[in-house]
Amino acid sequence: MEKAYMLISCEVGGEQELFEELNEIPEVKNCIITYGSYDLVAEFVTENSSEMNQVITSKVRKLSKIRSTITLRVIN
Amino acid sequence: MEKAYMLISCEVGGEQELFEELNEIPEVKNCIITYGSYDLVAEFVTENSSEMNQVITSKVRKLSKIRSTITLRVIN
Amino acid sequence: MEKAYMLISCEVGGEQELFEELNEIPEVKNCIITYGSYDLVAEFVTENSSEMNQVITSKVRKLSKIRSTITLRVIN
Amino acid sequence: MEKAYMLISCEVGGEQELFEELNEIPEVKNCIITYGSYDLVAEFVTENSSEMNQVITSKVRKLSKIRSTITLRVIN
Amino acid sequence: MEKAYMLISCEVGGEQELFEELNEIPEVKNCIITYGSYDLVAEFVTENSSEMNQVITSKVRKLSKIRSTITLRVIN
Amino acid sequence: MEKAYMLISCEVGGEQELFEELNEIPEVKNCIITYGSYDLVAEFVTENSSEMNQVITSKVRKLSKIRSTITLRVIN
Amino acid sequence: MEKAYMLISCEVGGEQELFEELNEIPEVKNCIITYGSYDLVAEFVTENSSEMNQVITSKVRKLSKIRSTITLRVIN
Amino acid sequence: MEKAYMLISCEVGGEQELFEELNEIPEVKNCIITYGSYDLVAEFVTENSSEMNQVITSKVRKLSKIRSTITLRVIN
């Protein structure tokens, strides 16, 4: 099992829409809006590390309201 | 009572217009232009925490010249 | 219920010890070591916002290996 | 009149002590603890710009628990 | 006399054009391209602090290739 | 011989295209996608320092998907 | 095979000593001193991801002159 | 001729002492205290790039009050 947290900055005003899109991705186990240094935090769980890369590249970073992301991967 | 400071980066050249828009929001008690690490600082006071979220989401982050924000909430 | 994520930078070399100390705090529901922009991520759940402040101030920020923290609070 | 906001990172665990010391400085008109990207925010008001420099250099940056500061000055 | 350094991030690929525009502003005493954490550094000298604000607001931050700026003012 | 590492933030979703474009530049000796604090890392080797500047200005920073770069030059 | 880049900030004045220590670690394939946003960059190659975690935790982050690190892992 | 700007964070309270030490280094052509995102800015001019590295490594980064530096080199 692979786990990661993603710190997301979104287009200003687009956080609600992005929040809903993220919640439709099965690998997103939790997602919150926060207005601190980042706009949203999302938790991802996948079977393995290559599936994680797949989710980040093909599903998350294609979403239109995302501006930048920092992915924090779990060290076991 | 809930209090927060917002550190704002705006579209370059849009700081005066944004400054005026922020001053029209009743919950903004103070707003300044500064050219340090952030472009503007705004102080917000609301009745409670859910009203604060409402103001940030519906009023501030809809303003067209805002590029990114960091909200610093008061810990009492 | 109040939820927050804490992004933690620790004394270099102290991450394992800090990880174990964080896991002994009941309000820490999840804690990971990561070697990206931050060293650890911890999830907190408390009854309410004042209890959250209490946990951060009295329990977490007293731990000896912590160097700096960024707390991201959930906007509901 | 000169106004400035100071974003402060303090020694972890020293925020309450620093908060009290800042409140004893007459030029500090407001001071809050926050656990976002910075630990405290302080507002300063002085007669003029050279007095502001004096306060920052001689009063604030001598306090033992301060680790780093970012000063945001008001552009009028 | 008032002095300031501006750390500038520009539109990628626009650094040469911006460099030339900055050099035409009389208050810019020196300007360099660098590809470190910022793209350009410019030094400003004005008669006083309100003229400095004027230059930053009306001349520099109107330039089309600028994306963000951090102004570092001299403390005398 | 001159060596440099470039930390690159790209348009979200454009990392694969940018990765391929970077690999076609002869002076890029290595290039990776990473989703940490930066999106890609590229290593550059040139004959000398002025050639390095040339490559950065004329080849890399003209690529359409690049948003910002930090260049780290080797100190020998 | 697993690859990672580490961006390192070291104790000021300790960069030469740290550089030599890093070069003695077999998994460090390349290491440079740079005085940009970070002080050193090191490239790591290990057999697999768990060995990488081992190297970071047990070998690198125990070195006395390291102050903070950002690890950028390769996405294949 | 080689030119560089150094953005310096110093031990809190040590900025005046560091400012004086920097001014005694012949290659430092200008030095200011500022309380924005960095504490001091210093301009360096040397004959060539290897002399610049020498000055940074042997003279500047040995000064006791410096905490971290970012060096921005001129691209000609």
Side-chain angles (χ1 to χ4, degrees):
Chain A
M1 207 195 70
E2 182 87 2
K3 190 171 177 179
Y5 290 88
M6 191 183 275
L7 310 173
I8 301 170
S9 298
C10 72
E11 299 295 325
V12 174
E15 50 270 18
Q16 196 60 47
E17 184 184 328
L18 182 55
F19 174 75
E20 284 156 23
E21 289 176 332
L22 284 164
N23 274 317
E24 283 166 21
I25 297 174
E27 291 85 0
V28 173
K29 299 306 170 202
N30 212 337
C31 179
I32 63 149
I33 300 180
T34 173
Y35 290 121
S37 317
Y38 307 98
D39 299 322
L40 297 102
V41 180
E43 284 177 59
F44 293 82
V45 177
T46 59
E47 288 291 316
N48 51 48
S49 138
S50 75
E51 201 192 316
M52 181 64 80
N53 297 342
Q54 190 67 21
V55 170
I56 296 174
T57 310
S58 312
K59 294 188 184 173
V60 181
R61 285 179 60 98
K62 297 300 186 204
L63 298 177
S64 64
K65 298 292 178 186
I66 286 189
R67 221 174 44 178
S68 68
T69 64
I70 292 179
T71 306
L72 301 171
R73 296 175 163 243
V74 176
I75 302 295
N76 298 301
Chain B
M1 209 195 71
E2 182 87 3
K3 190 170 178 179
Y5 289 88
M6 190 182 274
L7 310 173
I8 301 170
S9 298
C10 72
E11 299 296 324
V12 174
E15 51 270 18
Q16 196 59 47
E17 184 184 329
L18 182 55
F19 174 75
E20 284 156 23
E21 288 175 334
L22 284 165
N23 274 317
E24 284 166 21
I25 297 174
E27 291 85 0
V28 173
K29 298 307 171 201
N30 212 336
C31 179
I32 63 149
I33 299 179
T34 172
Y35 291 120
S37 318
Y38 306 98
D39 300 321
L40 298 102
V41 181
E43 284 176 58
F44 293 82
V45 176
T46 59
E47 288 291 318
N48 51 49
S49 141
S50 73
E51 203 192 316
M52 181 64 80
N53 297 343
Q54 189 67 22
V55 170
I56 296 173
T57 310
S58 311
K59 295 188 184 172
V60 181
R61 284 178 61 98
K62 298 300 186 203
L63 297 176
S64 64
K65 297 292 178 187
I66 285 188
R67 221 175 43 179
S68 67
T69 64
I70 292 179
T71 306
L72 300 171
R73 295 173 165 247
V74 176
I75 303 294
N76 298 301
Chain C
M1 206 195 74
E2 183 86 3
K3 189 170 176 177
Y5 289 89
M6 191 182 274
L7 310 172
I8 301 170
S9 299
C10 73
E11 299 297 324
V12 174
E15 50 271 18
Q16 196 59 47
E17 182 184 329
L18 182 54
F19 174 75
E20 283 156 23
E21 288 175 334
L22 284 164
N23 274 318
E24 283 166 21
I25 297 175
E27 291 85 1
V28 173
K29 297 306 170 201
N30 212 338
C31 179
I32 62 149
I33 299 180
T34 173
Y35 291 121
S37 318
Y38 306 99
D39 299 321
L40 299 102
V41 180
E43 285 177 59
F44 292 83
V45 177
T46 59
E47 289 291 317
N48 50 50
S49 140
S50 74
E51 202 192 317
M52 181 66 79
N53 298 342
Q54 189 67 21
V55 170
I56 297 173
T57 311
S58 312
K59 294 188 185 173
V60 181
R61 286 178 61 95
K62 298 299 186 203
L63 298 176
S64 64
K65 297 292 179 186
I66 286 188
R67 219 174 46 178
S68 67
T69 65
I70 293 181
T71 306
L72 301 171
R73 294 172 166 246
V74 176
I75 302 295
N76 298 301
Chain D
M1 206 196 75
E2 183 87 2
K3 189 172 176 177
Y5 290 88
M6 190 182 274
L7 309 173
I8 301 169
S9 300
C10 72
E11 299 297 325
V12 174
E15 49 270 18
Q16 196 59 47
E17 182 182 329
L18 182 54
F19 174 75
E20 283 156 27
E21 288 175 334
L22 284 164
N23 274 318
E24 283 167 22
I25 298 174
E27 292 84 1
V28 173
K29 297 307 170 200
N30 212 337
C31 180
I32 62 148
I33 299 179
T34 173
Y35 290 121
S37 318
Y38 307 98
D39 299 322
L40 298 103
V41 180
E43 286 176 59
F44 292 83
V45 177
T46 59
E47 288 292 315
N48 51 49
S49 139
S50 74
E51 201 192 318
M52 181 65 80
N53 298 342
Q54 189 67 21
V55 170
I56 296 173
T57 310
S58 312
K59 294 188 185 174
V60 182
R61 286 179 60 97
K62 298 299 185 204
L63 297 176
S64 64
K65 297 292 179 185
I66 286 188
R67 218 173 46 177
S68 67
T69 65
I70 293 179
T71 306
L72 301 171
R73 296 175 164 243
V74 177
I75 303 294
N76 298 300
Chain E
M1 206 195 73
E2 182 87 4
K3 190 171 178 179
Y5 290 88
M6 191 182 274
L7 310 173
I8 301 170
S9 299
C10 73
E11 300 296 324
V12 174
E15 51 270 20
Q16 196 59 46
E17 184 185 329
L18 182 55
F19 174 75
E20 284 156 24
E21 288 176 334
L22 284 165
N23 274 317
E24 283 166 21
I25 297 174
E27 292 86 359
V28 173
K29 297 307 169 200
N30 213 336
C31 179
I32 63 148
I33 300 179
T34 174
Y35 292 120
S37 318
Y38 306 98
D39 299 322
L40 298 102
V41 181
E43 284 177 58
F44 292 82
V45 176
T46 58
E47 289 291 316
N48 51 49
S49 140
S50 74
E51 203 191 316
M52 181 63 80
N53 297 342
Q54 189 66 22
V55 170
I56 297 173
T57 310
S58 311
K59 295 188 183 173
V60 181
R61 286 179 58 98
K62 298 299 186 203
L63 298 176
S64 64
K65 297 292 179 187
I66 285 188
R67 221 174 44 179
S68 67
T69 64
I70 292 180
T71 307
L72 300 171
R73 296 173 163 245
V74 176
I75 303 294
N76 298 300
Chain F
M1 206 195 72
E2 181 88 3
K3 189 170 178 180
Y5 290 89
M6 191 182 275
L7 310 173
I8 302 170
S9 300
C10 72
E11 299 295 325
V12 174
E15 50 270 19
Q16 195 61 45
E17 183 184 329
L18 182 55
F19 174 75
E20 284 156 24
E21 288 175 334
L22 284 165
N23 274 317
E24 283 165 22
I25 297 174
E27 291 85 0
V28 173
K29 298 306 170 203
N30 213 336
C31 179
I32 63 148
I33 300 180
T34 173
Y35 291 120
S37 317
Y38 307 98
D39 299 322
L40 298 102
V41 181
E43 285 178 58
F44 293 82
V45 176
T46 60
E47 288 292 316
N48 50 49
S49 139
S50 75
E51 202 193 316
M52 181 64 80
N53 297 343
Q54 190 67 22
V55 171
I56 296 174
T57 310
S58 311
K59 295 189 184 172
V60 182
R61 286 178 59 98
K62 297 300 185 203
L63 298 177
S64 64
K65 298 292 179 187
I66 286 188
R67 220 174 44 179
S68 67
T69 65
I70 292 180
T71 306
L72 301 172
R73 296 174 164 246
V74 176
I75 302 294
N76 298 299
Chain G
M1 205 195 74
E2 182 86 2
K3 190 173 176 176
Y5 290 88
M6 190 182 273
L7 311 173
I8 301 170
S9 299
C10 73
E11 300 296 325
V12 174
E15 50 271 18
Q16 196 59 46
E17 182 184 329
L18 182 55
F19 174 76
E20 284 156 23
E21 288 174 334
L22 284 164
N23 274 318
E24 284 167 22
I25 297 175
E27 291 85 0
V28 173
K29 297 307 171 200
N30 213 337
C31 179
I32 63 148
I33 299 179
T34 174
Y35 291 120
S37 318
Y38 307 98
D39 299 322
L40 299 103
V41 181
E43 285 177 59
F44 292 82
V45 177
T46 58
E47 288 291 318
N48 50 49
S49 142
S50 74
E51 201 191 318
M52 181 66 80
N53 297 343
Q54 189 67 22
V55 171
I56 297 173
T57 310
S58 313
K59 295 189 184 171
V60 182
R61 285 178 61 97
K62 298 298 186 205
L63 298 176
S64 64
K65 295 292 179 187
I66 286 189
R67 220 174 43 178
S68 66
T69 65
I70 292 180
T71 305
L72 300 171
R73 294 175 165 244
V74 176
I75 303 293
N76 297 303
Chain H
M1 205 195 75
E2 182 87 3
K3 190 172 175 177
Y5 290 89
M6 190 182 275
L7 310 173
I8 301 169
S9 299
C10 72
E11 299 296 325
V12 174
E15 50 270 18
Q16 197 58 47
E17 182 184 329
L18 181 55
F19 174 76
E20 284 157 24
E21 288 175 334
L22 284 164
N23 274 317
E24 284 166 21
I25 298 174
E27 292 85 359
V28 173
K29 296 308 171 199
N30 213 337
C31 179
I32 62 149
I33 299 179
T34 173
Y35 291 121
S37 318
Y38 306 99
D39 299 322
L40 298 102
V41 181
E43 284 177 59
F44 293 83
V45 176
T46 60
E47 288 292 316
N48 51 49
S49 140
S50 74
E51 201 192 317
M52 181 65 80
N53 298 342
Q54 189 67 22
V55 171
I56 296 173
T57 310
S58 312
K59 294 189 185 172
V60 182
R61 286 178 61 96
K62 298 298 186 205
L63 298 176
S64 64
K65 296 293 178 185
I66 286 189
R67 219 173 44 179
S68 66
T69 65
I70 292 180
T71 306
L72 301 171
R73 294 173 166 246
V74 175
I75 303 295
N76 298 299

